[in-house]
């Protein structure tokens, strides 16, 4: 079992380009697994973790409802935003400047073969990260992601999640709102859930701008601990 994870910082990168790159890494891992089974060999499968920030984009999961996008094609253009239907779970979400987007592309056979546990661990990483800023993040029953003040009229989502897994290899991941312009969420019904607000880390802490690099380091620390993994840069 290879518990080393190759960490790659992609900076600001177009959503479609990043998606294609995820598919490339995903295929690389799957190909090793197929080769191992065919040839009864035992080559280690690599694991990757991508940090990226996307220009304004809306993405709709395979089970999502297009009516949750409240903009026409022309309005999207005016806002400088793109739109893609993609192959993750979940409904519609927004990515844009000020977010920390993490895409773990892991062979879960290196860790544990349980998708439910994997999603809960991703949520736990964010919950522990928020706790370092004295913010109580929790789960909302039946809704993937991390929320604040669940069970009150002020419930709001701070981190969206959506993953795809095949042959125990994962792709897509989470988007934590750090210094995000929350106005862009007004153009969708986020995750298809009506009447629930969205928030960001800087909004919750009442500061103009958070240090995204500091937040990333906290995310990596908790990810490493929970997954008993070791990060290395490529």
């Amino acid at each position: 079992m290879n518990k080393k994870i190759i960490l790659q910082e992609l900076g600001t990168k177009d959503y479609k380009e990043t998606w294609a790159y995820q598919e490339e890494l995903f295929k690389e891992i799957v190909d090793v697994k197929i080769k191992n089974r065919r040839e009864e060999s035992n080559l280690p499968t690599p694991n990757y973790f991508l940090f990226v920030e996307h220009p304004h984009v809306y993405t709709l999961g395979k089970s999502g409802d297009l009516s949750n996008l409240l903009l026409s094609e022309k309005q999207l253009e005016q806002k400088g935003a793109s739109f893609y239907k993609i192959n993750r779970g979940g409904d519609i979400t927004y990515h844009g400047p000020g977010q920390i987007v993490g895409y773990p592309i892991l062979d879960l056979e290196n860790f544990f073969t349980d998708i439910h546990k994997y999603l809960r661990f991703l949520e736990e990483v964010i919950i522990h990260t928020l706790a370092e800023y004295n913010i109580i993040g929790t789960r909302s029953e039946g809704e993937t992601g991390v929320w604040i003040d669940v069970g009150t009229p002020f419930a709001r989502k701070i981190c969206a999640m959506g993953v795809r897994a095949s042959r125990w290899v994962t792709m897509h991941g989470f988007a934590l709102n750090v210094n995000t312009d929350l106005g862009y969420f007004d153009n969708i019904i986020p995750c298809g859930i009506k009447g629930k607000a969205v928030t960001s880390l800087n909004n919750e802490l009442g500061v103009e701008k958070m240090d995204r690099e500091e937040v990333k380091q906290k995310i990596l620390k908790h990810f490493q601990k929970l997954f008993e993994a070791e990060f290395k840069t490529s």
Side-chain angles (χ1 to χ4, degrees):
M1 290 206 307
N2 173 29
K3 291 203 166 193
K4 287 187 170 67
I5 302 175
I6 298 162
L7 175 65
Q8 295 185 357
E9 288 271 2
L10 303 184
T12 301
K13 198 172 174 73
D14 174 75
Y15 186 87
K16 200 171 184 180
E17 276 180 53
T18 312
W19 183 14
Y21 183 53
Q22 280 195 78
E23 293 277 13
E24 201 179 295
L25 299 178
F26 180 90
K27 184 179 183 302
E28 179 195 334
I29 299 170
V30 169
D31 285 351
V32 174
K33 298 184 82 159
I34 290 168
K35 187 178 167 117
N36 280 343
R37 288 197 180 126
R38 274 191 194 144
E39 300 176 10
E40 294 185 5
S41 52
N42 199 24
L43 295 167
T45 49
N47 306 290
Y48 296 93
F49 188 111
L50 312 178
F51 267 138
V52 67
E53 185 179 45
H54 293 305
H56 302 297
V57 62
Y58 295 100
T59 68
L60 183 71
K62 58 190 177 197
S63 54
D65 185 343
L66 189 55
S67 66
N68 290 325
L69 174 65
L70 308 176
L71 296 174
S72 67
E73 209 170 305
K74 193 176 177 185
Q75 288 170 315
L76 275 170
E77 224 174 88
Q78 287 166 347
K79 293 205 167 279
S82 311
F83 170 72
Y84 298 108
K85 288 183 182 177
I86 62 170
N87 59 352
R88 61 161 169 77
D91 205 286
I92 198 162
T93 196
Y94 161 77
H95 298 308
Q99 267 184 349
I100 290 176
V101 178
Y103 295 133
I105 304 166
L106 312 178
D107 177 6
L108 288 182
E109 288 190 303
N110 288 325
F111 302 92
F112 47 78
T113 49
D114 185 332
I115 295 295
H116 181 77
K117 181 178 176 179
Y118 173 65
L119 282 164
R120 301 296 77 80
F121 267 31
L122 283 187
E123 290 165 344
E124 199 69 15
V125 166
I126 302 301
I127 288 166
H128 284 309
T129 300
L130 294 175
E132 294 210 42
Y133 294 98
N134 296 315
I135 293 172
I136 301 166
T138 55
R139 297 177 179 88
S140 179
E141 201 178 329
E143 296 164 346
T144 304
V146 179
W147 301 72
I148 295 169
D149 288 342
V150 168
T152 77
F154 310 106
R156 53 210 181 274
K157 193 173 202 173
I158 194 165
C159 184
M161 289 181 187
V163 303
R164 176 195 170 205
S166 175
R167 294 179 186 260
W168 296 114
V169 181
T170 67
M171 64 183 287
H172 300 298
F174 65 86
L176 175 64
N177 297 327
V178 180
N179 302 312
T180 316
D181 179 350
L182 300 175
Y184 276 81
F185 286 98
D186 294 340
N187 305 315
I188 58 172
I189 299 169
C191 306
I193 305 161
K194 288 182 182 174
K196 292 267 180 88
V198 179
T199 191
S200 62
L201 199 49
N202 71 328
N203 191 52
E204 291 299 317
L205 294 174
V207 298
E208 193 180 331
K209 200 170 186 186
M210 296 291 299
D211 181 342
R212 288 173 70 255
E213 291 310 311
E214 180 190 274
V215 180
K216 281 183 192 175
Q217 289 312 309
K218 292 181 190 304
I219 289 170
L220 291 175
K221 176 180 73 175
H222 294 298
F223 195 100
Q224 191 162 297
K225 195 173 176 185
L226 272 168
F227 283 82
E228 298 174 345
E230 181 191 334
F231 282 104
K232 56 178 190 173
T233 50
S234 61

